[in-house]
Amino acid sequence: MRAATAAQGGVTIRDIARAAGVSAGTISRALKNEPGLTEVTRRMVLETARDLGYDFCKLRPKRLRRLTFLLHRQHNTAASSPFYSPVLHGAEEACRKQGIVLSFMAVGPADGLVDQLRMHAPDAIVCAGFFEPELLSALRATGKPIVLIDMKLRGYNSVNPDNQMGGYLATQHLIDRGRERVGFICGSMSHYSIRERARGYRQALFDAGILADPRLEAFLPDGVELEQGAWEAMESLLALPKPPDAVFCYNDSTALVAMRCCLSKGLKVPHDVAIVGFDDISTAVLGHRPLTTLRINKKELGALGVELLLGGRTDDVVERISPVELVVRASTVC
């Protein structure tokens, strides 16, 4: 079949319709990812087209008109919104300039995501923050272009801040200030951004000739609110026989809690314990001491995500890295 159609100028939509037993209109809608079809029909059409050797390059790029911004339900909290709200605003501004309608959904694994998404009928999808691989696989099966923001997974286009460099700069700054026992408070290592920040922390210690002490790394307990988890993590570090004289926290919200914990124990920040956060959220300057942190252009992350989708489909995976900037404030400088 493939040889015959190739000899006649290539596989056509009518060839696929004949082989799949559906109308040419159904084939066209499936190939263009248009609404009105079940996922079973869409996958069947795509598999038939691939089996016949259809040249997908024949499809004219469809203009992006509707985009859905997905945020995992675990990030839709008061602690996370100072980071993800500006990312959403950046995507919204970029969409407005291009005449694209943007919709927002906060979703979780048990929410019937694909059915909900069908109601929005997007041409493309932005996923912000951590998503389970199973959720991403379900999204990819819809055939719509996807960009990840603040997450990285093999095979997906993504936009991320330079998390590793940020962790490195934070730790290097504390070492340069003469701190000798630099602790690290972090969340779940299943999150790409946290893993990268941890890598930067450890690399800075290594480059400074400091042996990493696993006792100085405290993890937020699973299943608790950030406020409680960050407090418990800081308390565990302060309870060590040789507590840290500096702490790098994986985000600003955690750092602000850690600072309050130190003050409740009668410690002075930064005299007794210097503290660095990450993200430069709006409340970073409102603590007992304005917080030294890593500044991320969060609106740019959202805009870059939209820009990748506007670039159209390519065979190459595109990974964009946005630079970070160390902002030194009173939490590390006496």
Side-chain angles (χ1 to χ4, degrees):
M1 177 69 173
R2 179 180 294 191
T5 53
Q8 297 168 10
V11 178
T12 66
I13 285 179
R14 292 186 182 279
D15 294 328
I16 303 170
R18 195 176 301 114
V22 296
S23 70
T26 297
I27 300 299
S28 179
R29 288 198 300 275
L31 293 177
K32 294 178 181 178
N33 288 316
E34 293 177 346
L37 300 177
T38 66
E39 293 308 314
V40 172
T41 300
R42 193 185 309 277
R43 283 198 292 270
M44 182 270 291
V45 169
L46 293 175
E47 289 171 4
T48 303
R50 278 193 287 266
D51 290 344
L52 293 176
Y54 178 73
D55 182 4
F56 286 86
C57 293
K58 291 180 179 179
L59 293 171
R60 286 180 294 178
K62 181 182 178 182
R63 184 180 181 277
L64 188 59
R65 298 180 184 276
R66 295 180 301 276
L67 188 151
T68 297
F69 187 105
L70 298 181
L71 182 66
H72 198 290
R73 199 172 297 283
Q74 66 172 291
H75 298 309
N76 194 31
T77 64
S80 296
S81 62
F83 179 87
Y84 288 107
S85 290
V87 175
L88 173 59
H89 292 158
E92 187 178 35
E93 288 181 8
C95 285
R96 193 182 306 119
K97 291 176 183 177
Q98 299 293 331
I100 299 169
V101 176
L102 180 104
S103 60
F104 171 80
M105 289 172 57
V107 297
D111 289 346
L113 173 58
V114 173
D115 290 335
Q116 288 191 46
L117 196 64
R118 192 175 292 115
M119 297 172 62
H120 289 247
D123 300 315
I125 302 166
V126 168
C127 296
F130 172 79
F131 276 79
E132 292 85 356
E134 296 79 10
L135 266 181
L136 291 176
S137 295
L139 290 173
R140 173 166 274 184
T142 67
K144 301 182 187 302
I146 299 173
V147 164
L148 309 182
I149 297 179
D150 195 37
M151 184 180 177
K152 182 178 176 181
L153 198 63
R154 179 175 296 179
Y156 291 83
N157 292 342
S158 61
V159 179
N160 283 282
D162 197 339
N163 291 296
Q164 184 178 355
M165 178 56 70
Y168 187 96
L169 291 174
T171 309
Q172 184 184 57
H173 168 68
L174 292 169
I175 295 169
D176 289 345
R177 299 297 304 171
R179 305 293 169 155
E180 297 178 349
R181 291 180 59 77
V182 181
F184 178 46
I185 296 179
C186 62
S188 170
M189 287 294 179
S190 63
H191 293 233
Y192 167 76
S193 60
I194 299 176
R195 288 199 308 273
E196 289 297 292
R197 293 173 192 187
R199 285 180 61 194
Y201 160 76
R202 294 167 188 149
Q203 187 64 49
L205 293 178
F206 178 83
D207 289 351
I210 299 174
L211 184 64
D213 184 349
R215 292 171 296 182
L216 289 176
E217 295 187 25
F219 295 83
L220 270 65
D222 291 331
V224 300
E225 295 295 326
L226 182 141
E227 179 89 15
Q228 178 186 347
W231 191 282
E232 292 177 2
M234 190 68 215
E235 279 190 325
S236 70
L237 291 178
L238 295 177
L240 292 172
K242 292 184 177 181
D245 57 3
V247 177
F248 165 44
C249 299
Y250 80 101
N251 65 21
D252 288 345
S253 297
T254 298
L256 293 170
V257 174
M259 190 185 304
R260 292 199 298 273
C261 180
C262 289
L263 296 172
S264 75
K265 308 296 182 184
L267 299 172
K268 296 178 181 178
V269 176
H271 184 270
D272 298 313
V273 183
I275 296 177
V276 178
F278 204 118
D279 295 338
D280 195 28
I281 60 176
S282 57
T283 54
V285 296
L286 303 180
H288 177 75
R289 291 282 186 272
L291 186 65
T292 294
T293 185
L294 275 300
R295 178 174 291 158
I296 298 172
N297 189 334
K298 294 171 278 294
K299 292 179 72 172
E300 181 184 62
L301 292 179
L304 286 173
V306 175
E307 183 181 302
L308 281 186
L309 290 169
L310 289 171
R313 294 178 182 269
T314 64
D315 292 332
D316 298 326
V317 172
V318 180
E319 298 172 355
R320 300 284 293 274
I321 302 295
S322 179
V324 298
E325 175 191 358
L326 178 69
V327 180
V328 178
R329 299 191 181 112
S331 68
T332 58
V333 179
C334 295

